[in-house]
Coordinates of all heavy atoms in Angstrom, one line a residue:
A30 N 21.6 -11.2 38.9 CA 21.7 -12.2 37.8 C 22.7 -11.7 36.8 O 23.6 -12.5 36.3 CB 20.4 -12.4 37.1
R31 N 22.7 -10.4 36.4 CA 23.6 -9.9 35.4 C 25.1 -9.9 35.9 O 26.0 -10.3 35.2 CB 23.2 -8.4 35.1 CG 23.9 -7.8 33.9 CD 23.4 -6.5 33.5 NE 21.9 -6.6 33.3 CZ 21.0 -5.9 34.0 NH1 21.3 -5.1 35.0 NH2 19.7 -6.1 33.7
E32 N 25.3 -9.6 37.2 CA 26.6 -9.7 37.8 C 27.1 -11.1 37.9 O 28.3 -11.4 37.7 CB 26.6 -9.0 39.2 CG 26.5 -7.5 39.2 CD 27.6 -6.9 38.4 OE1 28.8 -7.2 38.6 OE2 27.4 -6.0 37.5
T33 N 26.2 -12.0 38.1 CA 26.5 -13.4 38.2 C 27.1 -13.9 36.8 O 28.1 -14.6 36.8 CB 25.3 -14.3 38.6 OG1 24.9 -13.9 39.9 CG2 25.6 -15.8 38.5
I34 N 26.4 -13.5 35.8 CA 26.9 -13.9 34.5 C 28.2 -13.3 34.1 O 29.1 -13.9 33.5 CB 25.8 -13.6 33.4 CG1 24.6 -14.5 33.6 CG2 26.3 -13.7 32.0 CD1 23.4 -14.1 32.7
K35 N 28.4 -12.0 34.6 CA 29.7 -11.4 34.3 C 30.8 -12.1 35.0 O 31.9 -12.2 34.5 CB 29.6 -9.9 34.8 CG 28.9 -9.0 33.9 CD 28.9 -7.5 34.5 CE 28.1 -6.6 33.6 NZ 28.1 -5.2 34.2
I36 N 30.6 -12.6 36.3 CA 31.6 -13.3 37.0 C 31.9 -14.6 36.3 O 33.1 -15.0 36.1 CB 31.1 -13.6 38.4 CG1 31.0 -12.4 39.3 CG2 32.0 -14.7 39.1 CD1 30.3 -12.5 40.6
L37 N 30.9 -15.3 35.8 CA 31.1 -16.6 35.1 C 31.9 -16.3 33.8 O 32.8 -17.1 33.4 CB 29.8 -17.3 34.8 CG 29.1 -17.8 36.1 CD1 27.7 -18.4 35.6 CD2 29.9 -18.8 36.8
A38 N 31.6 -15.2 33.1 CA 32.2 -14.9 31.9 C 33.7 -14.5 32.1 O 34.6 -14.9 31.3 CB 31.5 -13.8 31.2
S39 N 34.0 -13.8 33.2 CA 35.3 -13.4 33.6 C 36.2 -14.6 33.8 O 37.4 -14.5 33.7 CB 35.3 -12.5 34.8 OG 35.1 -13.2 36.0
L40 N 35.6 -15.7 34.2 CA 36.4 -17.0 34.5 C 36.4 -17.9 33.3 O 36.8 -19.0 33.4 CB 35.8 -17.7 35.7 CG 35.8 -16.9 37.0 CD1 35.0 -17.6 38.1 CD2 37.3 -16.8 37.5
D41 N 35.9 -17.4 32.2 CA 35.8 -18.2 30.9 C 34.9 -19.4 31.1 O 35.1 -20.4 30.3 CB 37.2 -18.6 30.4 CG 38.1 -17.3 30.1 OD1 37.5 -16.4 29.6 OD2 39.3 -17.4 30.4
I42 N 34.0 -19.4 32.0 CA 33.1 -20.5 32.1 C 31.9 -20.4 31.1 O 31.5 -21.4 30.6 CB 32.5 -20.6 33.6 CG1 33.7 -20.8 34.6 CG2 31.5 -21.7 33.7 CD1 33.3 -20.7 36.0
V43 N 31.5 -19.2 30.9 CA 30.4 -19.0 29.9 C 30.7 -17.9 28.9 O 31.6 -17.1 29.2 CB 29.0 -18.7 30.6 CG1 28.6 -19.7 31.6 CG2 29.1 -17.3 31.3
D44 N 30.0 -17.9 27.8 CA 30.1 -16.8 26.9 C 28.6 -16.3 26.7 O 27.7 -17.1 26.7 CB 30.5 -17.3 25.5 CG 32.0 -17.1 25.3 OD1 32.6 -16.2 26.0 OD2 32.6 -17.9 24.5
V45 N 28.5 -15.0 26.5 CA 27.2 -14.4 26.2 C 27.1 -14.3 24.7 O 27.8 -13.4 24.2 CB 26.9 -13.1 26.9 CG1 25.6 -12.6 26.6 CG2 27.1 -13.3 28.4
A46 N 26.4 -15.2 24.1 CA 26.4 -15.2 22.6 C 25.4 -14.2 22.1 O 24.7 -13.5 22.8 CB 26.0 -16.6 22.1
Q47 N 25.4 -14.1 20.7 CA 24.5 -13.2 20.1 C 23.1 -13.4 20.5 O 22.7 -14.6 20.6 CB 24.7 -13.3 18.6 CG 24.0 -12.2 17.8 CD 24.3 -12.3 16.3 OE1 24.8 -13.3 15.8 NE2 24.0 -11.2 15.6
G48 N 22.3 -12.4 20.7 CA 20.9 -12.6 21.2 C 20.8 -12.8 22.7 O 19.8 -13.2 23.1
R49 N 21.9 -12.6 23.4 CA 22.0 -12.7 24.9 C 21.9 -14.1 25.3 O 21.6 -14.4 26.5 CB 20.9 -11.8 25.5 CG 20.8 -10.4 25.1 CD 22.1 -9.6 25.4 NE 22.3 -9.5 26.8 CZ 23.4 -9.0 27.4 NH1 24.4 -8.7 26.7 NH2 23.4 -8.9 28.7
R50 N 22.1 -15.1 24.5 CA 22.0 -16.5 24.9 C 23.4 -16.8 25.6 O 24.4 -16.5 25.1 CB 21.9 -17.4 23.7 CG 21.7 -18.9 24.0 CD 21.3 -19.6 22.8 NE 21.1 -21.1 23.1 CZ 22.0 -22.0 23.0 NH1 23.3 -21.6 22.6 NH2 21.8 -23.2 23.3
V51 N 23.2 -17.4 26.8 CA 24.4 -17.7 27.6 C 24.8 -19.2 27.4 O 24.0 -20.1 27.6 CB 24.1 -17.5 29.1 CG1 25.4 -17.7 29.9 CG2 23.6 -16.1 29.3
V52 N 26.0 -19.4 26.9 CA 26.4 -20.8 26.6 C 27.7 -21.1 27.4 O 28.5 -20.3 27.8 CB 26.8 -20.9 25.1 CG1 25.5 -20.7 24.2 CG2 27.9 -20.0 24.7
V53 N 27.7 -22.4 27.8 CA 28.9 -22.9 28.6 C 30.1 -23.2 27.7 O 29.9 -23.8 26.6 CB 28.5 -24.3 29.3 CG1 29.7 -24.8 30.1 CG2 27.3 -24.0 30.2
R54 N 31.2 -22.6 28.1 CA 32.4 -22.8 27.3 C 33.0 -24.2 27.6 O 32.8 -24.8 28.7 CB 33.5 -21.8 27.7 CG 33.1 -20.4 27.2 CD 34.1 -19.4 27.7 NE 35.5 -19.6 27.4 CZ 36.1 -19.1 26.4 NH1 35.5 -18.2 25.6 NH2 37.4 -19.4 26.1
P55 N 33.8 -24.8 26.7 CA 34.5 -26.0 27.0 C 35.3 -26.0 28.3 O 36.0 -25.0 28.5 CB 35.4 -26.2 25.8 CG 34.8 -25.4 24.7 CD 34.2 -24.3 25.4
R56 N 35.3 -27.0 29.1 CA 36.0 -27.0 30.4 C 37.5 -26.7 30.2 O 38.1 -26.1 31.1 CB 35.8 -28.3 31.1 CG 34.4 -28.4 31.7 CD 34.5 -29.4 32.8 NE 33.2 -30.1 33.0 CZ 32.9 -31.0 33.9 NH1 33.9 -31.5 34.6 NH2 31.7 -31.5 34.0
D57 N 38.1 -27.2 29.2 CA 39.5 -27.0 29.0 C 39.9 -25.5 28.9 O 41.1 -25.2 29.1 CB 40.0 -27.7 27.7 CG 40.0 -29.2 27.9 OD1 39.9 -29.7 29.0 OD2 40.2 -29.9 26.9
E58 N 38.9 -24.6 28.6 CA 39.2 -23.2 28.4 C 38.9 -22.4 29.7 O 39.1 -21.2 29.6 CB 38.4 -22.7 27.2 CG 38.7 -23.4 25.9 CD 37.8 -22.9 24.8 OE1 37.0 -22.0 25.0 OE2 38.0 -23.5 23.7
W59 N 38.5 -23.0 30.8 CA 38.2 -22.2 32.0 C 39.5 -21.7 32.6 O 40.6 -22.2 32.4 CB 37.5 -23.1 33.0 CG 36.1 -23.5 32.6 CD1 35.5 -23.3 31.4 CD2 35.2 -24.3 33.4 NE1 34.2 -23.9 31.3 CE2 34.0 -24.5 32.5 CE3 35.2 -24.8 34.6 CZ2 32.9 -25.2 33.0 CZ3 34.1 -25.5 35.1 CH2 33.0 -25.7 34.3
D60 N 39.3 -20.6 33.4 CA 40.5 -20.0 34.0 C 40.9 -20.7 35.3 O 40.5 -20.3 36.4 CB 40.2 -18.5 34.3 CG 41.4 -17.8 34.9 OD1 42.5 -18.3 34.9 OD2 41.2 -16.6 35.3
Y61 N 41.6 -21.8 35.1 CA 42.0 -22.6 36.3 C 43.1 -21.9 37.2 O 43.4 -22.5 38.2 CB 42.4 -24.0 35.8 CG 41.3 -24.8 35.2 CD1 41.3 -25.1 33.9 CD2 40.3 -25.2 36.0 CE1 40.3 -25.8 33.3 CE2 39.2 -26.0 35.5 CZ 39.2 -26.2 34.1 OH 38.2 -27.0 33.6
L62 N 43.6 -20.8 36.8 CA 44.5 -20.1 37.6 C 43.8 -19.1 38.6 O 44.5 -18.5 39.4 CB 45.5 -19.3 36.8 CG 46.5 -20.2 35.9 CD1 47.4 -19.3 35.2 CD2 47.2 -21.2 36.8
S63 N 42.5 -19.1 38.5 CA 41.7 -18.2 39.4 C 41.5 -18.8 40.8 O 41.0 -20.0 40.8 CB 40.4 -17.8 38.8 OG 39.5 -17.3 39.8
P64 N 41.9 -18.2 41.9 CA 41.6 -18.8 43.2 C 40.1 -18.9 43.5 O 39.7 -19.8 44.2 CB 42.3 -17.8 44.1 CG 42.3 -16.5 43.4 CD 42.5 -16.9 42.0
Q65 N 39.3 -18.0 42.9 CA 37.9 -18.1 43.1 C 37.3 -19.4 42.4 O 36.6 -20.2 43.1 CB 37.2 -16.9 42.4 CG 35.8 -16.7 42.8 CD 35.3 -15.4 42.4 OE1 35.3 -15.0 41.2 NE2 34.8 -14.6 43.3
L66 N 37.7 -19.7 41.2 CA 37.3 -20.9 40.6 C 37.8 -22.2 41.3 O 37.0 -23.1 41.5 CB 37.7 -21.0 39.1 CG 37.4 -22.2 38.3 CD1 35.9 -22.5 38.3 CD2 37.9 -22.1 36.9
L67 N 39.0 -22.1 41.7 CA 39.6 -23.3 42.4 C 38.8 -23.6 43.7 O 38.6 -24.8 44.0 CB 41.0 -22.9 42.9 CG 41.8 -24.0 43.5 CD1 42.1 -25.2 42.5 CD2 43.2 -23.5 44.0
E68 N 38.2 -22.6 44.4 CA 37.5 -22.8 45.6 C 36.1 -23.5 45.3 O 35.6 -24.2 46.1 CB 37.2 -21.5 46.2 CG 36.5 -21.5 47.6 CD 36.2 -20.2 48.1 OE1 36.9 -19.2 47.7 OE2 35.3 -20.0 49.0
W69 N 35.6 -23.3 44.1 CA 34.3 -23.9 43.7 C 34.3 -25.3 43.2 O 33.3 -25.9 43.1 CB 33.6 -23.0 42.7 CG 33.4 -21.6 43.1 CD1 33.4 -21.1 44.4 CD2 33.1 -20.4 42.3 NE1 33.2 -19.7 44.4 CE2 33.0 -19.3 43.1 CE3 32.9 -20.3 40.9 CZ2 32.7 -18.0 42.6 CZ3 32.6 -19.0 40.4 CH2 32.5 -17.9 41.2
L70 N 35.5 -25.7 42.7 CA 35.5 -27.0 42.0 C 35.5 -28.2 43.0 O 36.0 -28.1 44.1 CB 36.8 -27.1 41.2 CG 36.9 -26.0 40.1 CD1 38.2 -26.1 39.4 CD2 35.7 -26.2 39.0
P71 N 35.0 -29.3 42.6 CA 35.0 -30.5 43.5 C 36.5 -31.0 43.7 O 37.4 -30.8 42.8 CB 34.2 -31.5 42.7 CG 34.3 -31.1 41.3 CD 34.4 -29.6 41.3
D72 N 36.7 -31.7 44.8 CA 38.0 -32.1 45.2 C 38.7 -33.0 44.1 O 39.9 -32.8 43.8 CB 38.0 -32.9 46.5 CG 37.9 -32.0 47.7 OD1 38.0 -30.7 47.5 OD2 37.6 -32.5 48.8
E73 N 37.9 -33.9 43.5 CA 38.6 -34.7 42.5 C 39.1 -34.0 41.3 O 40.1 -34.3 40.7 CB 37.6 -35.8 42.0 CG 36.3 -35.3 41.4 CD 35.2 -35.1 42.4 OE1 35.5 -35.0 43.6 OE2 34.0 -35.0 41.9

């Protein structure tokens, strides 16, 4: 679970906020140049 959150954070999908709360970042800020993220996104 910890490694999962690290992966999501490395792609700018989530932030681990104060108090260990995990929040979703705005979609415009995700790392769309990552081949890993590209593979997970829907075709549209």
